[in-house]
Structure formats: structure tokens, C-alpha cells
Amino acid sequence: MVSAAQPQPASATDASRTFPAGFLWGSATAAYQIEGAAAKNGRTPSIWDTYARTPGRVRNGDTGDIATDHYHRRREDVALMADLGIGAYRFSLAWPRIQPTGRGPAVQMGLDFYRRLVDELLDAGIQPVATLYHWDLPQELEDAGGWPERATAERFAAYAALAADALGDRVKTWTTLNEPWCSAFLGYGSGVHAPGRTDPVAALRAAHHLNLAHGLAVQALRDRIPADAKCSVALNVHHVRPLTGSEADGDAARRIDALANRVFTGPMLHGGYPQDLVEDTAALTDWSYVRDGDLALIHQPLDFLGVNYYTPTLVSGADGDGSPTSYGHGGDRTPWPAADGVAFHQSPGDTTAMGWAVDPTGLYDLLRRLSSEFPRLPLVITENGAAFDDYADPAGHVNDAARIAYLRGHLAAVHRAIEDGADVRGYFLWSLLDNFEWAHGYSKRFGLVYVDYPTGTRTPKASARWYAEVARTGVLPGA
Ligand code: IFM
């Protein structure tokens, strides 16, 4: 976590690197970001539908009502992946499509959509990897209190059971939550994500109930899926670096590491909340919503840890010229409870269209740290990628050389981490398609495939052909 290493981009003369046999090459998406069909076949609003329709919340007033229209173009998108030779596809199930009110029986048409998707993936030789929750909480559950309330975790376990009953015979790899840090701290802390609340105590309560939801969902999955199926969680583990070697900067890094990472890895993987987190937040909460038995429920054996990485987080201990968020999501309220006095700084290096520094050394250091903290837990990169201002040239080509350079650097970092002992089993590129980038609407393009939103037309970018070759050969070519 704590290291003052500076970016060392892969050099232009790097030799090619061969990944281990069986390394999984995938791409990832999320339901609200791509599906559209927001009111079709029984789906009801999620917190993101509500948030996006609230004036001023999302850039240009964009919503996921149509998105990339994947709901109707599912077959075409599977064919695209097959054409690119992608071995695995990580997608999320929309809770409000399967269980619209967050309670009661499943809607068959909702399940059918995912059954068809999974069948088509399997027919095409693509391994389906399902995420149960990528931020689209049914609005009715938010109206009943949302993630700060324990009942939401219990509802999530029931939804997980419905999903497992319907898809457990076909889907062999499951992820419970995607980036619960965003759900808790951007959703209930800074309010730049749905549901847009700005209450630090609610954010901490949400974090605990997301942890509980994860544990209960793993239990529900394990009760239903075959013994060889895999369960995991995808965390946006922040690689936190102190600005200098000073004690104050080191302490700032420790505090943010606790609030960003150990608030989840502590209970999920070690069986308890870190003492320093409890002490740092003592003025806000006594954590009395953690009931007897919760920590054992949350601490479920996992088959791998999903790691989402984009950029490092650089902090210092004194109020300085940093901005109040390190994650590029803006907003004028901090997502970090009990981190007064911590300043966030732009990491050195080139930036993507999100303003995030391109720094593959952060990924290398993160993988090494996680391997040493959890030596028996395999790692999978469940998200990595970059937004750039892509456009189709007059000939219709999208030449995204900057994305190729980003991917090359980060895959080299993954390869180096593996050589140095990290047990990394796969890499899911974010994202298959350009899509709805949350509060940024459609203004940020992360896709391997360019989407012309007015027509829905898909055009593989240069990076798609490049990645296809890496996936086909398992070799990262030298530049
Ligand atoms: O688009 C998001 C995704 O939904 C979650 N992880 C980060 C991506 C880029 O911001």
C-alpha cells in the first residue's frame, strides 16, 4: 500500500511476455451501463434511474433508459466477443429486472434475458462471470432505507438465491458486489452516485450492510451452485501512496487505506473490522449496528479476490492543495468520513479522459501487496481500462493508440507481478463497449468497441483487435 514509487511506464523496447497457460482473458460490463430497456418486461426503477432523472445529477441529463441498447442487441454483442476471441465475459444482473421491488418471487422474463445471454455465451465458448450487484438497487428498497439498513442485506441474500436457482447450473463464476466502496461512500457519503445522500454515518452503516450482504449472498450461492463453482467479490482496492515519507503523510495513507480498503477486506477476509478504523471513526459511530455473529457471516471463504484498478491514490497529511476526492468523481462533499486534514493530490504522469493518472506501477504494487496480505487467495483483475476521447475517422476507424499504450503498460505490470509471485488468474478489460459512465453520462468512452449512440452501431476500435491478439496468443507483444 504505502510506497513512494514513481510511475515507470513499460519501455518502448520491451520484449514480449507470455502469460501462464489458462490465464483468463475477458471483458466486463454492468447492466445499467449497457442494457437500456429500462421499463421493459417488468423492470422497475433502480436508484440509478431515479438519480439520473434528477436534474443536475448526471452530465447532459443522460440516463440509462436506452444506453447501448444491449438488451435488444445481446446476440450481436455476444457475436462481437466471439469474433474478438474473448474467453470470458463479466456482466452484472439487474436486480430490478429480476426482482423489481426487491422482494418476492422473480420475474420470469427478467431471468430469461440472462439465461439466453448465458446460453449464447456458452455456445460461443465464452465463460460467463456474473456479478449480482453493480449499483442498481431497486428504488423501493432505497425508499425503505437502502444500504444503511440491515434489511437490505437480507433482501440481497434472497435475490442472490433467486439468481443462483435460475443460473447456477450454467454460471460457474459469481461475484457478489462490484466496488462496494462506491455504493457506500459515493452513494451515501459524497452523493455523486445514487442515491445521492451526503451523510457520513449512513455511508459507514452502508459499508457494514454491504459487507453483510456479501457474506449472506456467498452463503446463498454456495447452498445452490455446484461445489466447483467459484465465489468472489470485486473491490476497487485503492493503491494509496503517501506524498512524502513524513509521519503525517504516512498516517494519512493509513487512514485512507482503512476507509477505502480494509473496511471491506478486514471483515471479508480477516474476520473483523480493523481497530484503527474503529478508532478513527469513533466520533461518528460506535459501530453498534454490527451485531453478534455478523463478522462470522461476512467472513466466508472465497475462491479469488476481484481487483478493480485504474490509478493510484496520492495523499498527504496536512490540508494542502489537494482536492476532496481522489477518484475523479467530483462533487463538493468528501466521500471519506473521519478523514479531515487528509489532502488528495494528482498522481504524476499522463492522464486519461477521466483525469486519472496512468500508472501501471500502482497495479504492480497493489498485486504484490494483496499477494503478501492474502497469500492463499488467487487474484483476478476484474476491471482495468481507460477512457479516452475516441472518435471515428472519416473512414470509420477508431484509432485509440493511447488505450493500447495504457493496456500494454498495465498488462506488463500484471505479468511482472506474476513473475514475482502474485497468483493472478485472469484479466477483465473495462469495458467491452462504450457505455453510461455514471455521473459523467455518455461523455466518457471506456470501450474496446465504439458505440455510435444515435444509431447503436458498434465499431471495434484498434485496441479491440490488439486485445484480441493478446487474448488469442496469451502473449503481450513487445512494442
Ligand atoms: O464504469 C465504472 C464501472 O462501473 C465501475 N468501475 C469503474 C468504471 C470506470 O469508472
Side-chain angles (χ1 to χ4, degrees):
M1 180 255 326
V2 179
S3 127
Q6 294 301 304
Q8 297 156 9
S11 100
T13 56
D14 280 341
S16 63
R17 299 165 172 89
T18 303
F19 280 75
F23 190 84
L24 203 54
W25 296 98
S27 66
T29 63
Y32 190 70
Q33 294 182 271
I34 64 163
E35 284 180 2
K40 194 144 181 184
N41 292 337
R43 185 186 179 282
T44 53
S46 73
I47 53 175
W48 265 98
D49 296 85
T50 308
Y51 188 82
R53 285 177 198 148
T54 307
R57 291 300 205 177
V58 175
R59 188 159 170 180
N60 300 323
D62 290 343
T63 72
D65 286 359
I66 299 171
T68 72
D69 202 23
H70 168 75
Y71 189 85
H72 298 109
R73 292 174 172 261
R74 187 191 68 233
R75 280 205 188 87
E76 179 185 351
D77 291 338
V78 172
L80 257 175
M81 280 185 268
D83 183 45
L84 293 173
I86 285 172
Y89 176 49
R90 175 174 178 251
F91 59 97
S92 78
L93 309 176
W95 189 350
R97 202 179 283 294
I98 291 177
Q99 197 188 31
T101 62
R103 299 179 177 84
V107 168
Q108 193 56 45
M109 281 185 294
L111 291 173
D112 287 348
F113 173 77
Y114 296 108
R115 278 183 83 93
R116 288 192 195 105
L117 170 65
V118 167
D119 285 347
E120 287 158 13
L121 289 168
L122 292 171
D123 286 349
I126 299 168
Q127 182 178 321
V129 176
T131 298
L132 288 170
Y133 186 73
H134 199 127
W135 308 352
D136 40 4
L137 183 71
Q139 181 61 43
E140 282 203 26
L141 294 187
E142 172 60 20
D143 295 343
W147 286 114
E149 296 306 320
R150 185 179 188 86
T152 305
E154 290 158 357
R155 300 260 71 86
F156 184 69
Y159 154 66
L162 295 176
D165 283 341
L167 300 169
D169 58 339
R170 293 159 159 82
V171 174
K172 297 288 186 254
T173 308
W174 294 82
T175 300
T176 54
L177 307 172
N178 184 72
E179 300 184 356
W181 182 83
C182 296
S183 301
F185 295 100
L186 298 181
Y188 294 92
S190 67
V192 300
H193 277 193
R197 289 205 241 162
T198 52
D199 174 351
V201 179
L204 290 165
R205 289 178 61 101
H208 176 63
H209 294 127
L210 284 154
N211 280 326
L212 185 61
H214 160 79
L216 293 170
V218 172
Q219 280 191 331
L221 289 167
R222 296 259 193 233
D223 285 349
R224 290 166 175 82
I225 58 181
D228 63 345
K230 293 183 167 42
C231 289
S232 65
V233 64
L235 301 179
N236 52 327
V237 190
H238 291 52
H239 182 62
V240 188
R241 286 175 170 153
L243 187 63
T244 72
S246 75
E247 198 176 315
D249 291 358
D251 194 56
R254 177 198 61 72
R255 287 168 69 174
I256 295 306
D257 179 54
L259 286 164
N261 302 327
R262 290 182 287 121
V263 64
F264 299 109
T265 57
M268 287 181 185
L269 300 174
H270 289 304
Y273 284 101
Q275 190 55 33
D276 62 331
L277 171 74
V278 174
E279 286 165 11
D280 288 348
T281 55
L284 286 171
T285 180
D286 61 5
W287 294 82
S288 54
Y289 37 87
V290 181
R291 294 194 192 160
D292 286 352
D294 281 6
L295 293 171
L297 282 173
I298 296 167
H299 189 202
Q300 298 291 324
L302 296 183
D303 299 296
F304 65 89
L305 175 65
V307 179
N308 295 1
Y309 171 85
Y310 291 87
T311 191
T313 301
L314 187 60
V315 299
S316 67
D319 283 316
D321 57 0
S323 73
T325 173
S326 67
Y327 204 62
H329 287 280
D332 51 15
R333 302 287 288 267
T334 178
W336 308 103
D340 292 350
V342 175
F344 292 85
H345 302 267
Q346 179 71 26
S347 292
D350 293 343
T351 56
T352 68
M354 298 293 282
W356 299 345
V358 177
D359 186 352
T361 69
L363 180 55
Y364 173 83
D365 292 345
L366 182 59
L367 294 172
R368 297 279 290 150
R369 172 215 173 166
L370 292 169
S371 302
S372 98
E373 190 174 349
F374 310 110
R376 282 172 298 284
L377 188 61
L379 305 173
V380 172
I381 313 294
T382 33
E383 285 185 25
N384 176 242
F388 291 104
D389 294 327
D390 303 319
Y391 59 91
D393 69 18
H397 300 137
V398 182
N399 188 9
D400 56 339
R403 180 169 293 100
I404 294 174
Y406 179 99
L407 297 175
R408 185 194 300 282
H410 285 76
L411 284 169
V414 175
H415 187 270
R416 186 157 72 95
I418 294 171
E419 278 189 332
D420 292 347
D423 183 7
V424 187
R425 304 282 179 91
Y427 176 92
F428 288 79
L429 196 154
W430 186 269
S431 180
L432 175 67
L433 303 167
D434 290 340
N435 60 49
F436 177 82
E437 178 53 25
W438 308 112
H440 299 276
Y442 296 98
S443 67
K444 306 293 179 198
R445 293 181 176 273
F446 274 90
L448 281 177
V449 175
Y450 184 89
V451 177
D452 177 56
Y453 291 110
T455 62
T457 305
R458 275 89 162 122
T459 305
K461 303 176 190 177
S463 60
R465 299 291 167 209
W466 180 88
Y467 186 62
E469 188 61 11
V470 175
R472 189 183 66 77
T473 58
V475 175
L476 178 64

